[in-house]
Amino acid sequence: MKRTIIFVTCALCLVACNNKPKEIQYNVDRFYDLEVLRYDVPDFDQLTLQQKTLIYYLTEAALQGRDILYDQNCRYNLAIRRTLESIYCNYPDKQDEQYLLMEKYLKRVWFSNGIHHHYSEDKFLPEFSEEWFRSAWQYADKQQTQLSDSDLETLIPVMFDPAVLNKKVNQASGVDLLLTSACNYYQDVTQAEAEAYYKAHRDNSAEPLWNGLNAQLVKRNGVLEERTYKVGGLYSDALEKVVYWLEKAKGVAENEQQQSVIQKLIDFNLTGDLKTFNEYAIAWVKDLDSRVDFVNGFTEVYGDPLGITGAWESMVNFKNLEATKRTKCLADNAQWFEDNSPTDPAYKKGEVKGVSAKVINAAILGGDCYPSTPIGINLPNANWIRKEYGSKSVTIENITDAYAKAAEGNGFNEEFMYSEEEVKLYRKYGVLTDNCHTDLHECLGHGSGKLLAGVTKDDLKEHGSTIEEARADLFGLYYIADPKMVELGILPNKEAYKAEYYKQMMNGAMTQLVRIEPGKDIEEAHMRNRQLIANWVLEHCDEENPEVEWVRKDGKLYLRVNDYEGLRKLYGQLLAIIQQVTSTGDYDMAKELVETYAVKVDPKVHREVLERYQKLDLAPYKGFVNPVYTPVTDVAGNITDIKIDYTEGYAEQHLRYSRDYSPLPTFN
Ligand code: ZN
């Protein structure tokens, strides 16, 4: 189903537009529970040639790391992707039913950067038969895939046996999280061994190195050994290319600070030295004046069951000047928010440092940000750097815009919101309050509060991510309803926040379940956090006059918010609890909160939500295709402009990336 075509000004269109408006097709492809969208890059044409060129070089560096994430997600992913792509291109009968099922599976592999669902972490199984795959194997170019016939027997169970490598990141209590996870951050290492190893290597100095951030831990001849991600180490072929494009980018950097950021990142890729990484992260936090910015490297640790090693990701972006006024206003008032939060004064930061917030337009998404991407980022992750130097927080406005445009009129809110009143409220304020909540979450929430002496971010172990996300969400929820938001001119009136309150409760307790298969638990940290908040609130509502309650209307289940101010008080209470858990590193309390409210799903609610959702025929997960950037050169080879094009299709894009940006060997 293709919908929502809008017009943009001709300045953005580059393919022979003849001054006519160009259509951007926002809805690109649809398969399984996934939908592929396109995003617009507004204001790219207003950048200087130097900024455009810088973006172009950085996008090349972003694409060169694509293979790394595939291999990090599972060691067989590159072999499977290459085999399928080769069959996809060479198989003679493109109408064969089995072939079409393979195409669908391959699209899913592209979407997930591997064979496990990008969100549920479960392995998805092919719908085509093993028998067909065995016969199609002959069409896979063995030179291109770097595989021999004997590899077929290795790949078959990995793809077809539901019991083999069935979970990318296991977070279930009571089992060995490493031996039961398919991700490739550890090989032949037990959880106890890895934990002991990293405990022994933990840096307790004032400026600690993040040991393990850029390494795979393996056991060879009974000895644990780190394989460092660097030029000359693991993933060398990809990192060499990244460095090549970073060198080019350095040559057109906007200023000296940005130049030194890029140089530090180059040095880190060359040496793998974590002290250099800290220096890079600090230089990056300090680079506030540049219009163009980027993330490129081993960053978020959600993909590692122990939360130590970073998944490779990249995002190139530039400041959205108009919208940045909004977040700057929040950042300028960061201390006020810290001082007035409902948490125990012992857990507050005396002085909130350098919270810098901006709204950006993404120019390219790469690695763990592609095709599925976050709508806000807050980095760096090292707590001591955040404390000493602050952090950079971004809201990615062109991505949230694309979601909103693609979702216009899809009937979702009408189906799940209690009445026309909530639907209207959300229609009126929803985009603004969603963005505003993201701003609060990213630029104030994650940066708020402090850990007591001796407490580290690792103390909450497997529940750390869920608790941290809940903390940031609750901070945003508590403050979006504060009169201060109207006073600062961020929200237009005292009603608007209700749109966000209703949506968060509905989503956390109900509608996010459309992403979960019947009978399954919630695994992903952000989803756990949202259910934790909603279910805790529901359980702590006033018995006589509940602030929020379940109601049935015309046979359908809804949430009804009776008292928005009361709901805000509950959010404040839970924020105080979650902040205490974080500040004191209270693992037992974190575990109890997560296990009581965040993991298990009410099967009756779940079944009904799925049934109603199915009738709407929507995809619960979205991802994106990137625009294509092409340099225009003069006869001497100098770049005179960078063209941006929005017409590349989904399969087309992935095949091109696999052809032009696939430097790694099949097995690493
Ligand atoms: Zn967050």
Side-chain angles (χ1 to χ4, degrees):
M1 202 174 59
K2 289 180 170 154
R3 292 175 297 101
T4 326
I5 296 169
I6 69 145
F7 294 91
V8 296
T9 55
C10 75
L12 279 168
C13 88
L14 289 140
V15 188
C17 76
N18 297 326
N19 289 330
K20 274 190 228 122
K22 161 122 183 77
E23 287 180 0
I24 289 189
Q25 180 79 56
Y26 282 92
N27 305 71
V28 178
D29 208 340
R30 170 83 198 268
F31 42 91
Y32 294 104
D33 53 356
L34 310 169
E35 183 172 15
V36 180
L37 308 176
R38 194 184 305 283
Y39 61 95
D40 182 10
V41 189
D43 298 344
F44 183 75
D45 60 303
Q46 287 168 20
L47 300 175
T48 64
L49 175 60
Q50 185 186 357
Q51 289 167 333
K52 285 188 197 175
T53 309
L54 173 62
I55 287 179
Y56 169 67
Y57 291 147
L58 291 172
T59 60
E60 290 292 304
L63 296 175
Q64 291 293 355
R66 177 170 173 260
D67 282 353
I68 296 175
L69 184 70
Y70 274 83
D71 194 70
Q72 285 182 312
N73 282 343
C74 177
R75 66 171 102 169
Y76 301 105
N77 277 339
L78 286 171
I80 292 168
R81 188 194 80 198
R82 284 177 175 156
T83 301
L84 295 172
E85 285 171 346
S86 195
I87 295 172
Y88 183 71
C89 295
N90 300 331
Y91 194 78
D93 180 2
K94 301 275 198 280
Q95 295 310 313
D96 181 320
E97 210 175 294
Q98 293 286 310
Y99 173 85
L100 294 172
L101 291 172
M102 190 278 295
E103 178 184 41
K104 221 169 132 194
Y105 175 82
L106 173 58
K107 284 184 174 182
R108 208 177 197 187
V109 169
W110 285 328
F111 197 97
S112 300
N113 293 287
I115 58 172
H116 299 87
H117 194 282
H118 73 289
Y119 216 81
S120 76
E121 321 277 6
D122 291 327
K123 184 168 84 172
F124 44 81
L125 295 171
E127 289 178 280
F128 54 91
S129 71
E130 182 186 322
E131 195 188 347
W132 180 84
F133 182 68
R134 283 182 182 279
S135 74
W137 173 259
Q138 61 181 299
Y139 296 104
D141 180 333
K142 301 301 175 296
Q143 224 170 353
Q144 204 185 330
T145 60
Q146 304 164 27
L147 297 170
S148 65
D149 280 335
S150 64
D151 290 314
L152 178 63
E153 298 311 320
T154 308
L155 297 189
I156 291 278
V158 173
M159 289 170 64
F160 290 91
D161 185 341
V164 174
L165 298 170
N166 62 342
K167 193 97 192 163
K168 185 169 77 183
V169 187
N170 193 7
Q171 292 181 325
S173 298
V175 293
D176 187 306
L177 299 183
L178 300 192
L179 299 183
T180 55
S181 293
C183 61
N184 194 21
Y185 298 102
Y186 305 86
Q187 278 186 8
D188 310 316
V189 180
T190 67
Q191 183 181 352
E193 287 169 334
E195 282 175 347
Y197 179 88
Y198 280 120
K199 200 172 166 204
H201 287 76
R202 187 193 278 182
D203 182 350
N204 291 316
S205 66
E207 303 188 349
L209 306 182
W210 190 308
N211 286 312
L213 176 70
N214 61 335
Q216 182 189 51
L217 190 63
V218 298
K219 190 153 69 180
R220 297 260 163 87
N221 305 318
V223 181
L224 291 182
E225 183 187 312
E226 282 183 56
R227 298 176 72 205
T228 304
Y229 306 150
K230 62 171 187 174
V231 171
L234 187 52
Y235 305 141
S236 184
D237 296 317
L239 295 173
E240 278 167 42
K241 302 250 181 190
V242 170
V243 166
Y244 171 85
W245 288 105
L246 288 177
E247 286 284 359
K248 294 236 179 211
K250 192 181 73 181
V252 292
E254 292 177 84
N255 51 55
E256 272 178 34
Q257 182 64 26
Q258 190 177 50
Q259 206 166 32
S260 85
V261 171
I262 300 174
Q263 183 61 55
K264 291 283 180 201
L265 183 58
I266 292 170
D267 293 344
F268 174 62
N269 278 311
L270 291 174
T271 61
D273 176 27
L274 291 162
K275 190 164 180 297
T276 307
F277 180 77
N278 284 346
E279 289 164 7
Y280 151 73
I282 292 164
W284 182 78
V285 170
K286 288 183 179 167
D287 178 18
L288 297 173
D289 296 333
S290 308
R291 178 91 190 259
V292 177
D293 204 352
F294 71 104
V295 176
N296 181 303
F298 303 97
T299 311
E300 302 292 356
V301 295
Y302 305 107
D304 170 0
L306 302 185
I308 293 170
T309 307
W312 197 91
E313 72 171 42
S314 186
M315 178 182 291
V316 183
N317 62 76
F318 59 95
K319 227 181 267 178
N320 176 330
L321 299 179
E322 191 51 41
T324 294
K325 289 178 191 159
R326 191 180 69 217
T327 53
K328 185 171 179 305
C329 177
L330 289 180
D332 288 346
N333 288 281
Q335 192 67 51
W336 184 90
F337 286 98
E338 183 76 5
D339 295 344
N340 288 281
S341 89
T343 57
D344 189 314
Y347 311 141
K348 292 185 188 189
K349 275 197 182 112
E351 193 191 342
V352 183
K353 269 186 202 161
V355 180
S356 94
K358 58 184 178 180
V359 179
I360 58 170
N361 288 324
I364 205 135
L365 311 169
D368 207 21
C369 294
Y370 170 84
S372 169
T373 194
I375 52 171
I377 298 181
N378 183 319
L379 292 171
N381 283 327
N383 260 319
W384 74 271
I385 299 181
R386 302 168 73 89
K387 214 166 127 201
E388 294 296 315
Y389 300 92
S391 61
K392 266 202 270 193
S393 166
V394 302
T395 304
I396 310 162
E397 191 127 307
N398 61 334
I399 297 296
T400 50
D401 276 358
Y403 281 128
K405 275 165 191 150
E408 266 165 28
N410 67 12
F412 185 87
N413 290 344
E414 288 78 359
E415 176 60 39
F416 290 106
M417 289 184 170
Y418 176 67
S419 73
E420 184 60 22
E421 192 184 318
E422 287 83 7
V423 173
K424 273 192 194 149
L425 194 70
Y426 193 77
R427 199 178 294 142
K428 195 162 174 193
Y429 301 115
V431 172
L432 175 64
T433 54
D434 276 350
N435 280 333
C436 185
H437 182 256
T438 308
D439 293 341
L440 285 163
H441 173 119
E442 296 294 345
C443 80
L444 297 178
H446 280 306
S448 71
K450 69 172 183 194
L451 304 181
L452 296 186
V455 176
T456 78
K457 62 174 181 47
D458 300 335
D459 291 352
L460 302 181
K461 296 186 214 169
E462 74 273 23
H463 302 305
S465 298
T466 301
I467 294 294
E468 177 56 19
E469 292 309 323
R471 202 173 70 87
D473 259 2
L474 284 161
F475 195 95
L477 288 167
Y478 180 76
Y479 275 118
I480 199 168
D482 200 287
K484 188 85 175 171
M485 301 303 285
V486 182
E487 196 186 298
L488 291 172
I490 293 171
L491 292 183
N493 55 49
K494 289 177 182 164
E495 291 296 298
Y497 80 88
K498 295 177 181 173
E500 190 64 16
Y501 270 29
Y502 191 84
K503 195 206 81 173
Q504 288 282 343
M505 282 304 298
M506 177 184 81
N507 187 42
M510 211 177 164
T511 49
Q512 70 164 356
L513 296 178
V514 301
R515 296 172 163 197
I516 304 291
E517 284 176 40
K520 294 254 161 78
D521 289 342
I522 298 181
E523 305 279 350
E524 200 273 338
H526 295 79
M527 285 186 77
R528 281 187 170 185
N529 125 53
R530 289 184 208 118
Q531 180 171 294
L532 191 163
I533 295 172
N535 282 358
W536 186 93
V537 163
L538 282 164
E539 199 171 299
H540 290 78
C541 277
D542 188 87
E543 278 179 33
E544 303 275 288
N545 299 302
E547 292 85 346
V548 189
E549 63 182 327
W550 290 107
V551 288
R552 275 211 180 266
K553 193 175 78 172
D554 304 329
K556 288 182 182 176
L557 190 64
Y558 297 93
L559 275 173
R560 188 171 65 196
V561 178
N562 301 315
D563 175 3
Y564 281 95
E565 277 173 39
L567 175 54
R568 184 184 184 215
K569 287 205 185 90
L570 289 165
Y571 283 147
Q573 284 167 22
L574 183 56
L575 173 57
I577 294 170
I578 296 274
Q579 183 60 54
Q580 175 171 347
V581 168
T582 306
S583 291
T584 59
D586 188 343
Y587 174 78
D588 293 337
M589 185 68 181
K591 184 169 185 274
E592 196 188 313
L593 281 167
V594 172
E595 287 180 354
T596 309
Y597 300 108
V599 181
K600 292 289 173 205
V601 173
D602 181 330
K604 280 220 297 269
V605 176
H606 193 193
R607 201 175 315 121
E608 177 174 334
V609 167
L610 287 176
E611 274 170 23
R612 285 159 64 183
Y613 183 73
Q614 208 162 26
K615 290 192 188 130
L616 296 171
D617 190 30
L618 303 172
Y621 302 99
K622 322 267 189 226
F624 293 89
V625 289
N626 283 315
V628 183
Y629 297 89
T630 316
V632 182
T633 50
D634 62 16
V635 277
N638 302 309
I639 293 179
T640 57
D641 197 9
I642 304 292
K643 289 201 302 178
I644 181 168
D645 176 67
Y646 297 103
T647 57
E648 191 167 41
Y650 177 65
E652 212 181 333
Q653 179 152 94
H654 283 277
L655 289 172
R656 182 171 65 84
Y657 285 178
S658 294
R659 188 190 69 215
D660 296 345
Y661 303 96
S662 191
L664 288 189
T666 294
F667 292 108
N668 290 277

